[in-house]
Amino acid sequence: MRTKRLVVAIGLSMLVAAACGGEGDTSTPAGGGSSSAPSGEAGSLSMSGFAFVPGDVTTGTGGTLSVTNEDSTTHTFTMDDGSVDQQVGAGQTVEVTITAAGSFHCDIHPSMTGAVSLGS
């Protein structure tokens, strides 16, 4: 349910941004620019088969990362720097705010690791 709300909120934000553009719009033309995530962009990953999928994810600074546990046991999404430490129950989805790039792991299952990078 949260994921649907996030998708709707992002879609509405994009419509508002498009409506605010005009002749004075200085945004990059279609087909140009970079593929990096802007500040605040959302990302997602799953916990499946006792692994993070994908293992490496990109989001924007201050972006929301949606983390879904598809396994039948509890995991954690823990940034190595301690900025995020969120328990994720079986079948649960949580949303965490990413403030810095870095590595993450599951405290319960140390072999589960990954990294988050920030778009510029």
Side-chain angles (χ1 to χ4, degrees), residues 12 35-36 39 41-42 49 54 56 63 66 71-72 79 84 87 91 97 103 109:
L12 289 174
S35 61
S36 60
S39 180
E41 183 173 301
D56 298 323
S66 179
D71 285 332
S72 61
M79 292 295 295
V84 177
Q87 184 169 316
T97 301
S103 298
H109 308 100

Side-chain angles (χ1 to χ4, degrees), residues 3 9 27 40 44 50 62-63 72 84 88-89 104 109 118:
T3 302
S27 62
S44 64
F50 289 83
S72 61
V84 177
V88 188
F104 55 84
H109 308 100
L118 303 178

Side-chain angles (χ1 to χ4, degrees), residues 9-10 14-15 17 20 27 37 39 41 45 49 64 69-71 73 77 85 91 100 102-103 105-106 112 117 119:
I10 290 170
M14 292 173 67
L15 287 173
C20 291
S27 62
S39 180
E41 183 173 301
L45 64 85
T64 301
N69 182 354
E70 296 176 354
D71 285 332
T73 188
F77 177 87
D85 186 13
S103 298
H105 64 277
C106 173
M112 294 177 62
S117 58

Side-chain angles (χ1 to χ4, degrees), residues 1 4 52 59 73 79 81 100 105:
M1 187 71 150
K4 288 181 182 178
F52 289 103
T59 187
T73 188
M79 292 295 295
D81 68 3
H105 64 277

Side-chain angles (χ1 to χ4, degrees), residues 2-103:
R2 289 184 189 178
T3 302
K4 288 181 182 178
R5 288 183 189 161
L6 179 60
V7 170
V8 169
I10 290 170
L12 289 174
S13 296
M14 292 173 67
L15 287 173
V16 169
C20 291
E23 290 182 29
D25 189 7
T26 59
S27 62
T28 304
S34 87
S35 61
S36 60
S39 180
E41 183 173 301
S44 64
L45 64 85
S46 297
M47 300 162 160
S48 179
F50 289 83
F52 289 103
V53 181
D56 298 323
V57 64
T58 301
T59 187
T61 302
T64 301
L65 183 62
S66 179
V67 181
T68 301
N69 182 354
E70 296 176 354
D71 285 332
S72 61
T73 188
T74 298
H75 294 297
T76 70
F77 177 87
T78 305
M79 292 295 295
D80 291 354
D81 68 3
S83 62
V84 177
D85 186 13
Q86 180 70 49
Q87 184 169 316
V88 188
Q92 183 180 15
T93 297
V94 299
E95 294 176 3
V96 296
T97 301
I98 302 301
T99 58
S103 298

